[in-house]
Amino acid sequence: MYFIQQVSVMTGLSKQVIRKWEERYNLVQPKRLENGYRVYSDTDINALLSVKSLSEQGHSVKRAVQLTKERVTSLETVPTSIRPIQHPPALNDYVFRLLEKGTHCNELELHLILQEAYHALGLSDFLTSVVVPFLNKVGNKWHQKEWDEYQESVSSLVVRDFLVQIRRNFRYREDAPLIIGACLPFEQHEIPLHILLLQFMMKGWKTTLIGASPAPGSIESLVKKLKPAKVILSATTTIPFETDSNLLNSLDQFAVEHPQIDFYLGGTGALDYTKRKKFRAIYVTNSIEDTLITQKNTST
């Protein structure tokens, strides 16, 4: 249960707006403590987030409330085993707590909550239901100017350091196939690669990461030295391609010269930049399943 100040921090809505939606539209029905203070549940917070999201998409608040209530009602009539994913997806208690501590840039508490969630949920659920939703909310809050750069930076760095710690302590077979994950030169966002490589490690791979903004030529040098089975190149922004217009042509030629290695390119920036481009040896994808196809074909 959460007090209204905590709900305001988590949702980005003012306390006045929360009370207004409660009283005018009967959107949520918080419980009252003996002292009269409102306390809100996870369900209440998700309802508020849903209305906020729908209103940002152009719906009136009244219509957004109606759609939210209809969605909740329809879900209640469907067996849990076949219920569709809600939009926006429901956030859990760990994400709410992380958002609260991130607002105040409390690094120690952020780390402790991540540790608690990881041990409680296991790695797979931890990544999909805590790390990814939390980072999405952090990005949204920064883009909408609800958070400043320091709040965004502290929260992201704590998550990155925690994922690095997990990767360092992850056990794998010595004969496991190797995959290299690499940010492109001038690309600063390495967290998506940490998540992807951890997903590969759960599938039996050992991994090596070339982190944020590597020096030109470092990717090719490491690939020659380690001879991995796969290489994943990542660009969340289009900055690498705008900075070096020949970057992809050079990497594609390198991939042609190493046909025994599968090269993949992913990330929002890469997908946007390469919409109408074709490569001889690099496969553009944002799906972990796609990158496993070659391994399956080889095994058969």
Side-chain angles (χ1 to χ4, degrees), residues 178-180 205 228-232 261-262 264 291-292 294-295:
L178 173 64
I179 186 168
I180 290 179
W205 291 74
K230 298 178 185 291
V231 176
I232 297 180
I261 302 173
D262 300 319
Y264 298 89
T291 59
L292 291 170
T294 304
Q295 180 200 19

Side-chain angles (χ1 to χ4, degrees), residues 6 17 51 59 64 94 107 123 133 163 174 238 252 260 300:
Q6 294 172 296
V17 167
V51 171
H59 295 284
Y94 296 115
E107 296 183 44
L123 181 54
L163 296 180
E174 285 301 318
T238 58
D252 192 35
Q260 74 280 12
T300 57

Side-chain angles (χ1 to χ4, degrees), residues 46 48-49 66 97 147 159 183 196 215 243 247 257 263 266 280 299:
N46 277 303
L48 291 165
L49 287 171
Q66 181 183 357
R97 291 162 58 196
W147 276 15
V159 172
C183 289
L196 185 61
T243 306
L247 176 62
E257 296 167 359
F263 287 80
R280 292 175 294 168
S299 65

Side-chain angles (χ1 to χ4, degrees), residues 21 27 46-56 61 64-65 68:
W21 289 1
L27 174 62
N46 277 303
L48 291 165
L49 287 171
S50 176
V51 171
K52 179 185 177 184
S53 176
L54 290 168
S55 63
E56 289 171 349
V61 174
V65 170
T68 297

Side-chain angles (χ1 to χ4, degrees), residues 248-268:
L248 286 181
N249 291 332
S250 176
L251 286 169
D252 192 35
Q253 177 59 38
F254 179 77
V256 169
E257 296 167 359
H258 296 80
Q260 74 280 12
I261 302 173
D262 300 319
F263 287 80
Y264 298 89
L265 174 65
T268 306

Side-chain angles (χ1 to χ4, degrees), residues 12-259:
L13 298 168
S14 69
K15 290 185 285 186
Q16 290 79 7
V17 167
I18 294 170
R19 292 193 188 99
K20 178 181 177 181
W21 289 1
E22 172 191 340
E23 295 166 359
R24 179 174 296 183
Y25 303 107
N26 197 28
L27 174 62
V28 294
Q29 297 177 330
K31 295 181 179 179
R32 295 271 187 167
L33 301 180
E34 291 182 358
N35 57 14
Y37 287 126
R38 294 171 169 87
V39 286
Y40 297 78
S41 67
D42 290 348
T43 301
D44 294 331
I45 294 175
N46 277 303
L48 291 165
L49 287 171
S50 176
V51 171
K52 179 185 177 184
S53 176
L54 290 168
S55 63
E56 289 171 349
Q57 295 171 29
H59 295 284
S60 67
V61 174
K62 182 178 180 180
R63 178 58 176 161
V65 170
Q66 181 183 357
L67 290 171
T68 297
K69 290 182 176 180
E70 288 175 356
R71 183 180 298 121
V72 171
T73 301
S74 64
L75 285 173
E76 288 175 348
T77 64
V78 179
T80 304
S81 59
I82 59 173
R83 286 184 185 177
I85 296 175
Q86 298 183 52
H87 179 75
L91 303 180
N92 57 48
D93 180 64
Y94 296 115
V95 178
F96 291 142
R97 291 162 58 196
L98 287 168
L99 289 170
E100 182 183 8
K101 301 305 179 184
T103 300
H104 303 292
C105 301
N106 192 325
E107 296 183 44
L108 177 59
E109 289 295 330
L110 283 167
H111 179 84
L112 291 175
I113 295 169
L114 289 171
Q115 190 173 52
E116 179 186 344
Y118 173 52
H119 289 298
L121 300 176
L123 181 54
S124 180
D125 286 344
F126 171 68
L127 293 175
T128 57
S129 65
V130 177
V131 172
V132 172
F134 175 59
L135 291 175
N136 285 338
K137 289 297 295 182
V138 169
N140 290 338
K141 283 181 174 291
W142 181 76
H143 283 298
Q144 295 169 8
K145 302 187 184 304
E146 294 176 15
W147 276 15
D148 58 32
E149 290 187 3
Y150 184 63
Q151 291 169 307
E152 186 272 339
S153 176
V154 167
S155 297
S156 298
L157 288 175
V158 170
V159 172
R160 185 203 66 182
D161 292 345
F162 192 82
L163 296 180
V164 168
Q165 179 183 328
I166 295 175
R167 287 189 58 244
R168 286 175 177 169
N169 295 323
F170 201 98
R171 295 185 179 181
Y172 53 81
R173 302 190 326 271
E174 285 301 318
D175 62 344
L178 173 64
I179 186 168
I180 290 179
C183 289
L184 292 178
F186 313 107
E187 172 59 49
Q188 298 290 338
H189 298 83
E190 64 181 70
I191 293 180
L193 271 178
H194 284 292
I195 295 172
L196 185 61
L197 293 181
L198 280 168
Q199 290 173 323
F200 269 99
M201 295 177 85
M202 287 187 287
K203 295 178 181 293
W205 291 74
K206 57 183 175 182
T207 65
T208 294
L209 174 69
I210 304 177
S213 191
S218 59
I219 296 173
E220 295 91 330
S221 177
L222 190 62
V223 170
K224 288 179 181 178
K225 179 180 179 180
L226 298 182
K227 298 178 174 60
K230 298 178 185 291
V231 176
I232 297 180
L233 307 169
S234 175
T236 302
T237 69
T238 58
I239 293 174
F241 318 115
E242 296 164 357
T243 306
D244 183 355
S245 59
N246 194 49
L247 176 62
L248 286 181
N249 291 332
S250 176
L251 286 169
D252 192 35
Q253 177 59 38
F254 179 77
V256 169
E257 296 167 359
H258 296 80

